[in-house]
Amino acid sequence: MEVVAGLGGSVLPGALIVLMLVLLLAVALHRSAPRETPTVPQDEPRANGHARPEEPRKAKPAARARREKPHQHSFAHRLLVAALKGHSSPVTCLDFSSNGKYLASCSEDRTVRLWSIRDLAGREHRCLRVNMGLDHAELVRLSPDSRAFIVWLANAETIRVYKMTKKDDGSFTFTATSGDFPKKHKAPVINIGIAETGKFIMTASSDTTILIWSPKGEVLASINTNQMNNAYATVSPCGRFVASCGFTPDVKVWVVCFSKNGDFREVTRAFELKGHTAGVQSFSFSNDSRRMATVSKDGTWKFWDTDVEYKKQQDPHLLLTGQCAVLEPCRIALSPDGRTVAVASGTDIVVYNTRRGEEEERFLGVHSHCITDLAFDTTGRYVVSCGDRAICVLHNTAGHRAVVEEMEAMLKKTGNKATRERLEQQISSARKALAAIYGKKH
């Protein structure tokens, strides 16, 4: 009994030890066994022959949308000479050279372009491009000798002068002169100008300030227009006058005086154009400054005789008043010979004769945006405008018809043979010009 008991006591612990070892071995083997990874089901056919449905795929990130080019406005008219396309951003200002060879334009695309007037009626429109660096020009004006131009820079808020040098091969180089004009204006500048005499430069801001500068950038005089604000200001084509309009219903004109040896003397009041009943939006001079045209918020444009002895306090004479639509901004341009007036309101242009004040031509939707500048070329053959990326050049047929009408009236009154021949020749030239434009006898 004692032997059996002893054996039983020794076997039980041993069995427990063996059992524990087996359990530990089983756990170790389970941990070391490779785990099965779930597999993506394949598109195997099912028993009914249909394919296994696809797993929903993750959506790919949306591709970056392409930057669409802005739509180019298209204007068509039988009197459209050309649409000058070269700028990639809206054109803000235009200016013709005194010699009639170039049209300067500036744009938000940081370039100034010089177009050949001779090529306007052709298929190809050549131009010279001048880069403005990191800035862009809001306004541009060609010098009287067409060898330089000035710009008003939007970011620098100053005038910069560029010289044009012609190479032996006929090409040009453009060089900015050292030193921009000092900053003097406290409000945004609305226009700049160079006197035809080359003696001074004008800048006008939207408050009531006009500054007269020397060509070297020295302030010669400051004018307070006392018009609440300036809507427009410019230098007359003759180079003697500076004029402005604004909140008040008049146009004020000053004369810039120099001594015989060319030294600046003073700026004095010359005359005023009074007659509108609301603020004047814009005005324009004829080439000899003997005529002026104005357009006002009162819905009228007026034609004036400014060939007066202002030193004797003689006032200008109102010659004509016409009705017109006025949408801000509104611009008016008087042809060099004073026979026609063009009024730009919104995106439209209407041309009137100054003999009777009647509408001659109407151009609707010339630009996709409001017209920012309007001008006649130096010969009066073309009306040019800008408002988007294109520059529109239009035939001034009203001017040719005005010449025929005026010369025929004079022909009836004269008996002088030489005078009659001269008048008949002018009538014939104007009629041939109209026939060429319309493609038939007119």
Side-chain angles (χ1 to χ4, degrees):
M1 292 294 294
E2 291 180 0
V3 172
V4 173
L7 289 173
S10 63
V11 168
L12 184 59
L16 290 173
I17 291 172
V18 171
L19 180 61
M20 291 178 64
L21 289 173
V22 171
L23 290 173
L24 290 174
L25 180 61
V27 171
L29 290 173
H30 177 73
R31 288 183 177 179
S32 63
R35 296 183 180 180
E36 292 185 0
T37 56
T39 58
V40 178
Q42 300 296 318
D43 292 339
E44 297 176 355
R46 292 183 178 180
N48 59 7
H50 293 288
R52 189 186 299 272
E54 288 187 14
E55 291 284 330
R57 297 180 180 179
K58 294 182 180 180
K60 293 183 179 180
R64 184 176 296 178
R66 290 185 178 181
R67 186 178 179 182
E68 294 184 0
K69 293 182 179 180
H71 176 69
Q72 180 69 50
H73 177 69
S74 178
F75 169 73
H77 196 280
R78 63 176 181 173
L79 298 183
L80 178 65
V81 180
L84 306 181
K85 298 175 182 179
H87 286 291
S88 58
S89 295
V91 180
T92 56
C93 186
L94 303 169
D95 190 49
F96 285 98
S97 62
S98 300
N99 61 12
K101 292 183 178 181
Y102 306 110
L103 168 63
S105 62
C106 63
S107 165
E108 295 174 6
D109 64 6
R110 300 179 180 177
T111 68
V112 169
R113 292 177 182 262
L114 297 179
W115 307 83
S116 172
I117 303 298
R118 185 174 56 185
D119 298 336
L120 291 184
R123 292 185 178 181
E124 295 184 2
H125 306 118
R126 295 178 298 173
C127 70
L128 303 173
R129 186 180 69 182
V130 189
N131 295 319
M132 297 288 105
L134 299 178
D135 212 329
H136 74 270
E138 292 182 324
L139 302 163
V140 60
R141 295 288 177 257
L142 289 158
S143 65
D145 60 4
S146 301
R147 295 180 180 177
F149 64 86
I150 63 172
V151 294
W152 179 263
L153 296 174
N155 299 327
E157 297 181 340
T158 185
I159 280 184
R160 182 171 295 169
V161 181
Y162 285 83
K163 290 186 177 180
M164 303 164 52
T165 306
K166 192 171 185 179
K167 296 181 179 180
D168 294 336
D169 60 0
S171 62
F172 283 85
T173 58
F174 302 89
T175 308
T177 59
S178 59
D180 297 335
F181 281 28
K183 296 182 180 181
K184 295 293 183 180
H185 284 283
K186 298 179 180 179
V189 167
I190 58 172
N191 204 11
I192 61 176
I194 306 178
E196 186 63 24
T197 58
K199 293 181 179 180
F200 70 89
I201 292 171
M202 178 221 71
T203 56
S205 51
S206 61
D207 47 13
T208 60
T209 305
I210 294 177
L211 295 181
I212 306 299
W213 305 76
S214 73
K216 295 182 179 181
E218 301 170 350
V219 176
L220 302 176
S222 177
I223 304 171
N224 183 356
T225 63
N226 292 312
Q227 292 174 313
M228 298 291 288
N229 70 281
N230 294 332
Y232 184 70
T234 193
V235 181
S236 64
C238 67
R240 292 189 302 157
F241 302 113
V242 168
S244 73
C245 65
F247 181 79
T248 57
D250 53 13
V251 176
K252 296 180 179 180
V253 183
W254 293 265
V255 58
V256 183
C257 305
F258 289 83
S259 63
K260 291 182 179 180
N261 59 5
D263 295 331
F264 171 76
R265 280 177 23 204
E266 61 180 348
V267 176
T268 60
R269 181 72 66 87
F271 53 86
E272 294 182 9
L273 304 180
K274 297 180 179 181
H276 285 290
T277 58
V280 177
Q281 290 253 302
S282 178
F283 61 88
S284 180
F285 288 89
S286 63
N287 195 50
D288 57 9
S289 303
R290 294 181 178 182
R291 297 288 186 270
M292 288 183 69
T294 57
V295 64
S296 165
K297 292 181 180 180
D298 63 13
T300 66
W301 63 270
K302 294 181 181 292
F303 185 50
W304 307 81
D305 176 6
T306 53
D307 187 16
V308 296
E309 296 185 47
Y310 57 86
K311 292 181 180 179
K312 296 181 179 180
Q313 308 302 316
Q314 188 176 354
D315 293 326
H317 309 296
L318 177 62
L319 300 175
L320 188 70
T321 298
Q323 303 295 319
C324 63
V326 178
L327 298 174
E328 297 185 38
C330 186
R331 296 297 299 269
I332 192 168
L334 182 61
S335 63
D337 59 11
R339 291 189 174 102
T340 52
V341 160
V343 177
S345 182
T347 61
D348 306 333
I349 299 174
V350 182
V351 181
Y352 305 88
N353 65 62
T354 58
R355 190 176 179 87
R356 299 180 311 279
E358 296 176 352
E359 179 181 320
E360 294 277 348
E361 300 288 352
R362 180 178 289 265
F363 306 96
L364 302 178
V366 181
H367 296 278
S368 60
H369 296 82
C370 289
I371 294 170
T372 54
D373 208 354
L374 181 71
F376 286 89
D377 76 306
T378 54
T379 65
R381 290 182 300 167
Y382 304 126
V383 184
V384 183
S385 65
C386 62
D388 45 32
R389 292 181 294 159
I391 301 168
C392 282
V393 183
L394 303 165
H395 282 295
N396 179 23
T397 53
H400 296 303
R401 288 193 291 267
V403 169
V404 172
E405 183 179 343
E406 185 177 325
M407 297 300 109
E408 285 181 340
M410 294 175 64
L411 194 61
K412 294 177 181 179
K413 297 179 181 179
T414 183
N416 184 279
K417 183 179 179 181
T419 304
R420 290 183 66 86
E421 289 178 354
R422 178 177 57 83
L423 293 174
E424 288 172 351
Q425 185 177 1
Q426 288 180 307
I427 293 171
S428 176
S429 297
R431 284 178 171 166
K432 286 181 180 178
L434 287 170
I437 294 170
Y438 289 105
K440 60 181 180 180
K441 293 184 178 180
H442 190 81

